[in-house]
């Protein structure tokens, strides 16, 4: 049995035994075949079954639900879409506002599903704090970013400026220059969500096959080492693993996000730091940093992921000492009282990035994979 529990803090904290579902060993003929049992694949199956219960749906997973980005990310649930400003630019102001409202409602829609399906994944909608927190130049960059958001028709109800004093009411960093608060973000326990979603869609009649890597796919069919699948529709929901299924690698390449988690911190320490309502936070730098206070009072902190030459997957996420200590240095710059805190978990994962993204435009919202 693969060591799936060591993938991340999140997988390590699961109460359930991580036992694989059966492999796909016989040919199938279905309405919808989904490649990948992560968030994209599972949510697709969930809503298809809700709207068309009679559909015959199969999910084919190379490892187990939560093996990829869905079990490794930083625990942000965002009401955003990376590149939304470009995608919505040609709409009328009224259409653009309606589109933003739809995107912003994502965390609320998830909460509805969690309540309806009885899923506990430590959901807390505390919003997000984008902080100018290390250099004064970050304030100018952040104010410019806020101006662009408001120029798109968004308002202070969506993104509002916080003075250093107002920022300190929610998070206390060592060098506060101000920040932006947005309410459309929740924090979650990613592995609890992905594993519970898998059980939920199975209960709705969706078949999930694990330890069954897809070796080839095309319109109307796919195959694994042991079986062929015919399907009216095929949904490739593989995130950073698109390079394993040509021609998807032409459009996405894998990048890596690296994360650490501290030991649970005392109530007194959190009184010094803040984040009392489950807020996510980010230091507004060109190289993404992101964090949250977990439900069991750890600091979860990710920063400055990597890229393998030629867009290769990274398979070994046993972080080196230097990789861990860089993240300790960065969160220690924000919270000096944590410079010597014990780090209990360090991990990473592959996520998919469009090959047509503009590197200089990459901002903190990219971690809405929440990796």
């Amino acid at each position: 049995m693969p060591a799936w529990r060591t993938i991340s803090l999140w997988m390590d904290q699961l109460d359930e035994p991580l036992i694989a579902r059966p492999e796909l060993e016989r040919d199938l003929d279905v309405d919808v075949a989904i490649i990948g049992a992560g968030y994209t694949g599972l949510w697709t199956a969930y809503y298809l079954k809700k709207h068309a219960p009679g559909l015959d749906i199969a999910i084919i997973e190379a490892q187990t639900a939560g093996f990829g980005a869905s079990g490794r990310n930083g625990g942000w649930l965002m009401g955003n879409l990376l590149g939304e400003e470009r995608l919505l630019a040609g709409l009328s102001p009224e259409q653009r506002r309606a589109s933003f409202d739809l995107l912003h409602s994502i965390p609320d829609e998830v909460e509805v599903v969690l309540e309806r399906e009885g899923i506990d994944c430590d959901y807390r909608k505390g919003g997000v704090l984008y902080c100018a927190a290390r250099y004064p130049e970050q304030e100018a960059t952040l104010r410019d970013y806020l101006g662009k958001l408001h120029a798109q028709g968004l308002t202070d109800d969506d993104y509002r400026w916080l003075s250093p004093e107002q920022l300190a009411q929610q998070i206390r960093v060592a060098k506060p220059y101000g920040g932006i608060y947005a309410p459309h973000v929740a924090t979650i326990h990613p592995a609890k969500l992905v594993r519970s979603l898998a059980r939920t869609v199975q209960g709705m009649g969706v078949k999930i096959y694990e330890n069954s890597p897809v070796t080839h796919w095309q319109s109307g069919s796919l195959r694994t080492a042991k079986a062929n699948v015919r399907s009216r529709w095929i949904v490739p929901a593989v995130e950073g693993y698109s390079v394993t299924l040509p021609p998807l690698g032409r459009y996405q390449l894998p990048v890596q996000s690296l994360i650490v988690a501290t030991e649970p911190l005392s109530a007194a320490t959190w009184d010094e730091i803040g984040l009392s309502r489950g807020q996510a936070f980010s230091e507004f730098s060109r190289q993404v940093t992101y964090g949250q206070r977990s439900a069991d009072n750890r600091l979860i902190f990710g920063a400055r992921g990597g890229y393998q030459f030629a867009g290769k997957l990274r398979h070994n996420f046993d972080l080196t000492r230097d990789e861990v200590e860089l993240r300790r240095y960065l969160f220690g710059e924000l919270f000096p009282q944590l410079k010597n805190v014990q780090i209990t978990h360090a991990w990473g994962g592959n996520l998919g990035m469009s090959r047509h993204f503009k590197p200089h435009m990459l901002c903190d919202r990219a971690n809405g994979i929440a990796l």
Side-chain angles (χ1 to χ4, degrees):
M1 182 66 63
W4 291 323
R5 196 168 294 280
T6 65
I7 286 171
S8 65
L9 164 75
W10 312 119
M11 296 291 274
D12 188 33
Q13 288 184 330
L14 292 174
D15 291 333
E16 66 186 85
L18 294 180
I19 299 173
R21 294 173 173 86
E23 296 180 46
L24 179 61
E25 296 182 323
R26 60 181 179 83
D27 292 351
L28 293 179
D29 193 337
V30 296
D31 297 314
V32 183
I34 299 172
I35 309 172
Y39 290 151
T40 303
L42 293 169
W43 282 118
T44 299
Y46 180 82
Y47 281 102
L48 285 175
K49 271 294 190 180
K50 277 293 182 183
H51 289 286
L55 285 175
D56 189 7
I57 301 173
I59 299 176
I60 318 299
E61 165 59 42
Q63 295 270 343
T64 191
F67 175 81
S70 300
R72 303 172 186 251
N73 61 74
W76 287 32
L77 173 60
M78 305 181 69
N80 295 104
L81 182 67
L82 187 63
E84 61 192 22
E85 61 281 352
R86 174 179 54 84
L87 294 171
L88 305 181
L91 301 180
S92 69
E94 294 76 18
Q95 291 172 320
R96 191 162 56 245
R97 180 69 250 189
S99 299
F100 278 124
D101 289 343
L102 181 63
L103 290 171
H104 292 164
S105 71
I106 290 172
D108 299 326
E109 168 66 12
V110 171
E111 185 177 22
V112 169
V113 175
L114 299 179
E115 293 179 355
R116 180 167 62 223
E117 305 297 345
I119 294 174
D120 178 8
C121 63
D122 300 338
Y123 176 98
R124 295 168 296 169
K125 191 184 177 191
V128 61
L129 299 159
Y130 297 110
C131 308
R134 295 180 67 217
Y135 306 107
E137 292 81 3
Q138 289 178 330
E139 179 184 351
T141 303
L142 200 53
R143 286 186 180 274
D144 180 65
Y145 175 55
L146 181 61
K148 291 177 180 178
L149 291 170
H150 285 179
Q152 296 173 51
L154 297 165
T155 70
D156 279 352
D157 289 336
D158 303 300
Y159 296 90
R160 62 182 172 88
W161 182 257
L162 301 177
S163 68
E165 294 76 20
Q166 291 170 322
L167 184 64
Q169 293 175 12
Q170 299 198 54
I171 185 172
R172 286 170 284 283
V173 294
K175 300 176 183 178
Y177 298 100
I180 295 173
Y181 174 74
H184 311 301
V185 174
T187 53
I188 59 169
H189 188 296
K192 288 182 180 179
L193 176 56
V194 69
R195 302 291 295 183
S196 295
L197 273 178
R199 288 190 291 271
T200 297
V201 300
Q202 273 192 299
M204 299 168 75
V206 174
K207 297 180 285 288
I208 301 178
Y209 300 95
E210 296 187 332
N211 281 332
S212 303
V214 172
T215 57
H216 175 79
W217 75 290
Q218 62 188 41
S219 178
S221 68
L222 61 83
R223 64 174 177 260
T224 69
K226 297 182 178 180
N228 296 305
V229 179
R230 293 199 310 168
S231 179
R232 294 169 60 194
W233 296 285
I234 294 179
V235 180
V238 292
E239 186 66 55
Y241 294 85
S242 58
V243 293
T244 67
L245 290 176
L248 296 178
R250 297 177 187 173
Y251 309 104
Q252 280 190 313
L253 77 165
V255 296
Q256 291 76 44
S257 189
L258 306 180
I259 304 174
V260 297
T262 71
E263 62 186 327
L265 306 177
S266 69
T269 299
W270 280 115
D271 286 344
E272 295 175 4
I273 294 173
L275 300 176
S276 61
R277 295 186 286 105
Q279 302 98 316
F281 73 92
S282 175
E283 176 240 336
F284 202 76
S285 60
R286 290 184 182 273
Q287 292 181 297
V288 179
T289 66
Y290 51 96
Q292 65 145 304
R293 173 183 179 176
S294 69
D296 65 340
N297 290 318
R298 301 171 187 266
L299 176 69
I300 312 298
F301 187 81
R304 303 192 183 187
Y307 166 77
Q308 301 281 92
F309 180 74
K312 295 179 180 178
L313 288 166
R314 177 171 172 174
H315 298 287
N316 180 6
F317 284 100
D318 294 328
L319 271 58
T320 67
R321 178 179 176 85
D322 286 346
E323 287 175 327
V324 172
E325 290 306 313
L326 172 59
R327 283 144 194 88
R328 180 195 297 277
Y329 165 76
L330 290 169
F331 72 65
E333 288 283 283
L334 303 176
F335 312 113
Q337 63 270 55
L338 301 186
K339 285 185 176 181
N340 297 315
V341 73
Q342 181 182 359
I343 292 174
T344 62
H345 294 75
W347 71 95
N350 296 291
L351 60 135
M353 180 65 68
S354 169
R355 287 187 179 272
H356 300 291
F357 79 104
K358 298 178 180 179
H360 67 282
M361 294 296 290
L362 185 62
C363 74
D364 296 285
R365 281 188 293 163
N367 95 82
I369 50 154
L371 264 191

